[in-house]
Amino acid sequence: MSMFNLFMEKLKLEVDPDEISQEEFVGKFNEFIDASANILIGSFYENTEKHIRSKGIEDNIFLENHKKIWRAGLEKLEILIEVCIDAGSNFNKNRRRSESDAEDFLLEILVRLHAKSCAIANEILYLLKGGFADASQARWRALHETNVTLAFISKHGLTCAQRFIEHEVVDSYNGMKIHKKYEHKMQAKGPSVEEVEVLTLHYKEVIKKYGKGFEKQYGWLEPFFPGINNPGFQSMEKDVGLDHMRIYFKRASQNIHTSFKTLTKTLTLPEFDPNIINVGPSNYGLVDPAHSTALSLVQATCFILARNSEVESVVLMKALTFLTDEVGITFLDTAKKLNDN
């Protein structure tokens, strides 16, 4: 019996369906839907608790096997990440305190961008250990964006850093407008009238200071690209010599933005099979996200180490370059063995 027929049978036991108003009928029907939904939730718990326990055992078996397969590469990548974290931490602790507050401000921004890169790399490592290659590649996109931004600000200095920081007012202002527009649908109260007034005032001040172009998504870039209308992230990539990573960026974007390609292309299968749609972890596809992560994190680390002319920094940069190559080779060797088997 269909759910609607069940409802009608239940309704007939309570009232004559022909004698109630449409409003009463809708009310009764909504009560039936709510009650049925609660019963269904109970069945979820009753029927899936055993399944979840069983799945947990399967997941642990998979993870043990997955880590056994990729242990050598994962360990080298983890070592690389830890060395980069230590390098950033030591740079921050040991950097010479300049007499210029402006120089300290610039270095503070670079250190924070590097720390963000390290945090993202750790997130990627966790996803790789779990067998989520597509998610790892998608997260690498954020690492690449952070790396490019760090390189760009390091190249163009204090003025660039100041514009980057003050553009946060534009981002906050735009976010505030969206929040206020949809606060009722979101059931999340937006900023108060006073908060809106304060942020709007700050917004007008930065636009007055930097010009109308500052209101654009990448408005903080304009002075550094006088011959380009509406410069953006690709402009930064080319400026710092990282535009050759664009193809990897595009591939990573496929795991963020939806297109037909995202439905048919995945790193998690050894070859495309139209009869298989993978919705869980996999042993396949770790090479590109792992090596890309190593490359981008080491680049970000070298951008801050290069500001220190001491021999120790040069040696560390060279060692990190060697380790990056080892990470790539190790992951590639493992993938070949996995495909052969």
Side-chain angles (χ1 to χ4, degrees):
M1 182 183 294
S2 71
M3 291 290 288
F4 184 76
N5 288 337
L6 182 63
F7 162 71
M8 291 301 297
E9 291 295 322
K10 185 175 182 299
L11 183 65
K12 289 175 183 178
L13 296 175
E14 300 176 5
V15 296
D16 185 344
D18 296 328
E19 294 183 359
I20 63 173
S21 67
Q22 183 177 354
E23 184 178 350
E24 289 176 309
F25 181 87
V26 171
K28 293 284 187 181
F29 184 69
N30 287 335
E31 289 176 6
F32 173 79
I33 292 297
D34 289 345
S36 299
N38 284 320
I39 293 172
L40 187 58
I41 289 174
S43 72
F44 290 161
Y45 288 121
E46 181 180 343
N47 296 328
T48 59
E49 187 175 347
K50 182 178 180 181
H51 172 72
I52 289 174
R53 284 199 302 267
S54 176
K55 186 176 183 301
I57 295 171
E58 291 177 4
D59 288 345
N60 288 334
I61 293 172
F62 167 81
L63 289 173
E64 288 180 12
N65 183 55
H66 182 71
K67 289 178 181 178
K68 187 183 299 182
I69 293 170
W70 294 98
R71 177 174 286 116
L74 290 169
E75 287 180 351
K76 286 183 179 180
L77 180 59
E78 189 161 7
I79 289 169
L80 182 145
I81 293 172
E82 288 303 312
V83 172
C84 289
I85 292 172
D86 288 342
S89 178
N90 291 332
F91 176 84
N92 188 39
K93 286 189 290 188
N94 299 328
R95 61 186 165 100
R96 296 187 183 92
R97 297 295 170 179
S98 169
E99 294 181 3
S100 167
D101 290 338
E103 178 66 14
D104 281 344
F105 173 79
L106 172 61
L107 293 178
E108 177 73 15
I109 300 303
L110 298 180
V111 166
R112 287 183 177 275
L113 283 166
H114 179 261
K116 182 65 175 177
S117 298
C118 293
I120 297 171
N122 265 325
E123 293 167 6
I124 294 170
L125 177 64
Y126 190 85
L127 290 167
L128 291 170
K129 287 180 176 181
F132 293 99
D134 288 330
S136 302
Q137 191 178 47
R139 200 70 190 106
W140 169 81
R141 175 181 148 148
L143 176 57
H144 176 64
E145 290 176 345
T146 306
N147 180 32
V148 169
T149 303
L150 191 163
F152 188 83
I153 293 176
S154 180
K155 176 180 177 179
H156 292 282
L158 179 62
T159 299
C160 183
Q162 289 173 328
R163 290 179 65 91
F164 172 72
I165 290 298
E166 293 200 61
H167 196 266
E168 189 272 336
V169 175
V170 176
D171 294 334
S172 296
Y173 176 78
N174 291 331
M176 175 199 70
K177 290 197 299 181
I178 294 172
H179 193 168
K180 289 298 291 182
K181 181 178 180 180
Y182 296 107
E183 62 181 341
H184 297 300
K185 284 189 175 181
M186 293 166 57
Q187 298 183 17
K189 188 171 178 59
S192 66
V193 174
E194 293 78 12
E195 290 171 330
V196 171
E197 289 176 350
V198 170
L199 186 52
T200 300
L201 178 61
H202 289 330
Y203 173 79
K204 290 180 178 178
E205 287 174 348
V206 296
I207 298 303
K208 182 179 179 180
K209 179 179 180 180
Y210 292 116
K212 189 166 178 61
F214 199 66
E215 68 184 7
K216 299 175 183 177
Q217 182 181 2
Y218 285 97
W220 60 280
L221 295 178
E222 283 199 341
F224 310 102
F225 298 98
I228 298 179
N229 182 35
N230 197 24
F233 182 70
Q234 289 191 58
S235 306
M236 281 200 292
E237 274 183 323
K238 188 173 182 179
D239 183 76
V240 297
L242 290 173
D243 49 326
H244 61 285
M245 301 296 286
R246 169 74 10 195
I247 183 60
Y248 294 102
F249 183 87
K250 293 288 288 183
R251 290 172 183 168
S253 298
Q254 291 170 10
N255 294 309
I256 297 174
H257 307 300
T258 303
S259 69
F260 183 69
K261 186 179 286 290
T262 68
L263 305 180
T264 58
K265 301 295 182 182
T266 176
L267 295 172
T268 62
L269 296 176
E271 56 186 25
F272 175 67
D273 187 333
N275 298 314
I276 298 178
I277 302 176
N278 185 32
V279 296
S282 166
N283 297 132
Y284 292 95
L286 272 62
V287 178
D288 281 354
H291 194 209
S292 297
T293 297
L295 284 167
S296 293
L297 183 59
V298 167
Q299 288 166 356
T301 304
C302 288
F303 283 131
I304 63 169
L305 290 176
R307 303 186 73 86
N308 185 338
S309 59
E310 294 178 359
V311 174
E312 288 82 357
S313 294
V314 177
V315 172
L316 179 54
M317 286 190 282
K318 180 61 72 172
L320 284 170
T321 302
F322 290 157
L323 185 53
T324 301
D325 292 340
E326 286 188 26
V327 168
I329 291 169
T330 304
F331 271 93
L332 187 59
D333 286 345
T334 300
K336 289 178 179 177
K337 292 175 184 177
L338 184 62
N339 288 330
D340 289 343
N341 291 334

